[in-house]
Amino acid sequence: MFVKSTSYANFALVKYWGKKDSEKVIPFNDSVSVTWDIFKTHTILQSASSFSFVLNNNPASEKDSERVKQFLKHFTDDVDTVKVISQNTFPTAAGLASSASGFSALAVAANRFFNTAFDKEQLEAVTRKGSGSAVRSLYGGVVRWRNDGTVETLAAPIEDYVLVVVLLTGDKKVMPSREAMAHTVTTSPYFPAWIDIANRDANTLCTALMEGDFDTVGDTAQSNAMAMHASMLAATPPIVYLKDETMEVIRIIDGLRQNKTECFYTMDAGPNVKVISRKHDLDTVLNALREGGFSDLHVGRPAKRGAFIDDEG
Ligand code: 2P0
């Protein structure tokens, strides 16, 4: 027996950073993301004589295998007869949301494979235990994950939005997000301010998205990303994900905005930059990035759906 699923990465415009309940994975602040049609995870669950986890064609590390095994225990008492095969179409653990696409793909596959038939709320509650941001990849388009744990999709007019991921490095991140978040919560004096900023930004951003106010979407997303990084920079010791090249890309985008090209940047738990603009400005953005010496560019569009079952038998 097997089940195949696919899911996509989502990138937040208002970030999730910090858990008020680590066991249930309830965030301190609302986050708002867009699920994009690039950077996918394909997952297969199949019957086997013992548990194994194959990640990107290689046996996964003991730590990753244990994390997946513990996750599957939310679906079944018998995790010892399943093989998990997971393939990312992008660098794993480089701040490109591989845990979001990975755990959402695994959650929908496991729900079918083990016949748990969890409803929306149950599946969300389990998925976020795998990875908080994965709950947003259960859905396409704009998704808001609230600080009470609930999730909603927004029918915002983003059909002409385009994403350019400026890949600076596919290296593993300096510190896993889960650890970095906890470290920020406990040691950063800016963390209380972050919670207020992010909850406010989520309201501003959702209104701007719904009204098609691209300028406010950009302003809010940029300051929110910077506020998250500021909270980490003030931790002891500081967490520094951004690199010199990150700042170079930011300068290019700032230059474009000053010249009336509508685009904005955001960064997650890594140095890579995600630039968002709209179809009519895409070539201008790509050309400026290439002229600035950045050639590893990946273009995506909003995904119409989130995690789904591909095939089973
Ligand atoms: C986000 N990130 O909103 C933020 C921005 C990274 C920076 O959610 O501990 O892997 O598994 O719940 O979901 C990455 O954190 O953390 C993340 P856990 P997760 O996309």
Side-chain angles (χ1 to χ4, degrees):
M1 188 200 163
F2 75 93
V3 173
K4 281 188 188 176
S5 65
T6 293
S7 189
Y8 306 99
N10 71 76
F11 296 121
L13 302 185
V14 171
K15 310 294 183 184
Y16 150 52
W17 201 250
K19 299 172 184 64
K20 68 178 169 209
D21 184 331
S22 303
E23 206 253 305
K24 291 194 179 133
V25 187
I26 306 291
F28 271 109
N29 64 276
D30 286 23
S31 58
V32 185
S33 62
V34 176
T35 306
W36 299 93
D37 66 359
I38 48 167
F39 300 153
K40 296 182 222 175
T41 300
H42 299 291
T43 294
I44 301 173
L45 290 188
Q46 64 187 44
S47 308
S49 52
S50 62
F51 174 83
S52 62
F53 175 34
V54 177
L55 179 60
N56 299 329
N57 297 320
N58 291 306
S61 68
E62 208 167 305
K63 193 172 161 218
D64 287 345
S65 297
E66 195 50 34
R67 188 166 169 192
V68 164
K69 201 171 184 178
Q70 290 308 322
F71 181 69
L72 294 180
K73 284 184 181 168
H74 297 298
F75 297 86
T76 178
D77 292 331
D78 181 17
V79 289
D80 291 320
T81 55
V82 62
K83 178 175 185 179
V84 182
I85 303 167
S86 198
Q87 189 79 33
N88 291 327
T89 64
F90 57 96
T92 300
L96 290 175
S98 57
S99 68
S101 53
F103 278 99
S104 53
L106 187 59
V108 297
N111 198 26
R112 184 70 65 91
F113 188 84
F114 297 110
N115 286 316
T116 31
F118 288 150
D119 65 15
K120 177 183 181 288
E121 279 77 24
Q122 289 170 312
L123 191 62
E124 289 168 3
V126 170
T127 303
R128 62 176 193 253
K129 288 186 179 185
S131 187
S133 55
V135 82
R136 300 187 311 235
S137 280
L138 290 174
Y139 309 103
V142 179
V143 183
R144 181 171 189 167
W145 180 27
R146 289 186 182 268
N147 59 17
D148 61 3
T150 56
V151 183
E152 67 200 46
T153 54
L154 265 78
I158 59 160
E159 297 79 14
D160 63 343
Y161 278 39
V162 286
L163 167 77
V164 180
V165 176
V166 187
L167 200 58
L168 304 173
T169 170
D171 292 351
K172 281 222 168 196
K173 58 181 77 163
V174 287
M175 192 191 274
S177 311
R178 189 160 279 203
E179 223 175 284
M181 243 181 242
H183 180 70
T184 310
V185 172
T186 50
T187 73
S188 176
Y190 289 179
F191 191 72
W194 158 253
I195 301 171
D196 290 344
I197 290 166
N199 283 322
R200 186 201 62 201
D201 284 350
N203 289 332
T204 308
L205 185 89
C206 285
T207 304
L209 281 167
M210 292 305 287
E211 289 176 350
D213 179 357
F214 192 82
D215 216 30
T216 302
V217 170
D219 285 344
T220 310
Q222 287 190 169
S223 342
N224 185 269
M226 288 307 209
M228 176 187 72
H229 284 281
S231 75
M232 298 184 219
L233 290 170
T236 309
I239 304 162
V240 188
Y241 283 121
L242 309 182
K243 294 193 171 177
D244 294 355
E245 293 88 339
T246 313
M247 304 319 272
E248 279 177 42
V249 174
I250 286 173
R251 276 192 283 275
I252 293 171
I253 301 308
D254 281 344
L256 284 169
R257 287 191 101 195
Q258 274 157 21
N259 286 312
K260 309 286 176 227
T261 300
E262 291 185 308
C263 56
F264 63 89
Y265 58 78
T266 186
M267 292 79 60
D268 295 291
N272 299 310
V273 185
K274 292 97 189 184
V275 179
I276 292 160
S277 76
R278 287 177 295 182
K279 273 181 205 161
H280 59 273
D281 282 323
L282 177 62
D283 286 341
T284 309
V285 170
L286 290 173
N287 288 337
L289 289 166
R290 286 192 192 112
E291 274 168 27
F294 298 97
S295 53
D296 199 354
L297 308 174
H298 302 258
V299 177
R301 313 225 176 268
K304 291 199 170 57
R305 59 177 172 176
F308 63 96
I309 301 290
D310 276 314
D311 195 9
E312 59 190 308

